[in-house]
């Protein structure tokens, strides 16, 4: 079946450090790929997405590139801030009447001043 | 613009008591609606989805049920809560596109 694998957390970084959160997927078709962010006590917010191979999604300084050859969608940010502390979920979606979204287990990021 | 509401925000219930969580969406019509559960320290598990009024599909067997009495209203229920029902419940919607949009969630603690 479809699945998403994320790196285990928590990830602790100093402010202004470079961030990479790895995400790989397996899917039977051609999925769309997403990163969602969940701030403490809140629901999930869409951070960025990519719908086809080699697309790059970007938002708020974060970016991720859809790599079909390596089935990956790694999240990166050049300089993290304390306000980026949150849980990040990688997800894939395959349409079929309704959107079946498969989520990774989430990676908690803590940025310290 | 579209908005999604969930209530209550937090709920503490004894084992064996009933449950009703409500989700409503504004600013769209005939959305697909979803209920997810997020257990502590874990990812999201899809519980139910609905593509229309009265149409409910269950992804996993469990102690919970869902109903969609109106186009933009989705309700999660239980007749008797279990300890294992504790978690963070998220409602989401989409319009048949690729992106799901999530509500603020309900934190349920069963004691």
């Amino acid at each position: 079946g479809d699945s998403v694998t994320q790196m285990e957390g928590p990830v602790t970084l100093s402010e202004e450090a470079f961030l990479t959160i790895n995400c790989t997927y397996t899917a039977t078709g051609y999925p769309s790929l997403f990163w969602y962010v969940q701030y403490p006590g809140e629901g999930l917010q869409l951070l960025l997405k990519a719908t086809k191979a080699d697309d790059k999604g970007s938002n708020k300084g974060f970016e991720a590139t859809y790599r079909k050859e390596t089935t990956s969608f790694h999240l990166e940010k050049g300089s993290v801030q304390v306000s980026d502390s949150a849980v990040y979920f990688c997800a894939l979606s395959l349409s079929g009447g309704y959107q079946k979204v498969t989520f990774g287990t989430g990676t908690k990021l803590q940025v310290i001043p | 613009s579209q908005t999604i509401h969930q209530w209550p925000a937090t709920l503490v219930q004894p084992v064996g008591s009933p449950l009703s969580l409500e989700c409503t969406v504004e600013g769209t019509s005939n959305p697909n609606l979803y209920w997810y559960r997020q257990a502590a320290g874990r990812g999201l598990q899809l519980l139910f989805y609905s593509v229309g009024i009265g149409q409910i599909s269950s992804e996993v067997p469990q102690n919970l049920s869902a109903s969609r009495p109106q186009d933009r209203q989705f309700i999660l229920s239980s007749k008797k809560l279990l300890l294992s029902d504790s978690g963070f419940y998220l409602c989401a919607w989409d319009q048949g596109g690729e992106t799901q949009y999530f509500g603020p969630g309900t934190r349920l603690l069963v004691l």
Side-chain angles (χ1 to χ4, degrees):
Chain A
D2 305 326
S3 66
V4 176
T5 302
Q6 290 182 235
M7 61 188 291
E8 291 281 335
V11 174
T12 302
L13 294 174
S14 298
E15 205 165 22
E16 298 184 2
F18 184 85
L19 169 70
T20 299
I21 300 178
N22 290 337
C23 171
T24 57
Y25 68 91
T26 58
T28 53
Y30 298 96
S32 296
L33 301 175
F34 306 83
W35 278 100
Y36 283 86
V37 59
Q38 184 180 32
Y39 298 102
E42 299 183 9
L44 274 69
Q45 302 175 25
L46 178 66
L47 181 59
L48 54 84
K49 69 178 185 181
T51 59
K52 61 183 187 295
D54 300 325
D55 269 1
K56 177 185 284 188
S58 61
N59 186 24
K60 299 180 181 179
F62 292 89
E63 58 182 34
T65 301
Y66 190 143
R67 301 288 188 197
K68 187 178 177 183
E69 63 276 12
T70 55
T71 62
S72 64
F73 193 54
H74 304 321
L75 182 68
E76 297 181 335
K77 186 175 185 182
S79 177
V80 294
Q81 306 300 313
V82 172
S83 58
D84 294 326
S85 298
V87 180
Y88 293 82
F89 291 91
C90 186
L92 67 84
S93 171
L94 286 163
S95 62
Y98 73 101
Q99 294 298 315
K100 181 169 174 58
V101 181
T102 301
F103 288 88
T105 54
T107 302
K108 183 175 182 178
L109 170 66
Q110 183 177 11
V111 181
I112 54 177
Chain B
S1 64
Q2 300 88 3
T3 55
I4 178 169
H5 305 279
Q6 287 186 244
W7 61 87
T10 305
L11 192 59
V12 181
Q13 291 284 94
V15 169
S17 63
L19 174 74
S20 181
L21 304 182
E22 188 166 342
C23 170
T24 58
V25 180
E26 297 177 356
T28 186
S29 60
N30 197 31
N32 295 326
L33 296 172
Y34 307 82
W35 278 112
Y36 290 88
R37 176 169 58 203
Q38 184 180 22
R42 302 184 66 178
L44 278 75
Q45 179 185 37
L46 178 63
L47 302 176
F48 301 95
Y49 68 91
S50 171
V51 299
I53 296 174
Q55 300 178 61
I56 308 295
S57 296
S58 174
E59 284 290 296
V60 294
Q62 60 206 297
N63 183 44
L64 302 169
S65 62
S67 61
R68 186 170 176 175
Q70 300 180 41
D71 181 44
R72 291 169 289 174
Q73 184 184 31
F74 204 24
I75 297 173
L76 184 69
S77 304
S78 174
K79 293 182 179 178
K80 289 186 177 181
L81 283 169
L82 306 173
L83 286 174
S84 57
D85 292 324
S86 294
F88 192 47
Y89 289 83
L90 289 160
C91 182
W93 72 275
D94 68 51
Q95 197 65 54
E98 297 160 331
T99 304
Q100 288 186 2
Y101 299 93
F102 286 80
T106 294
R107 191 164 303 281
L108 172 65
L109 179 60
V110 182
L111 300 175

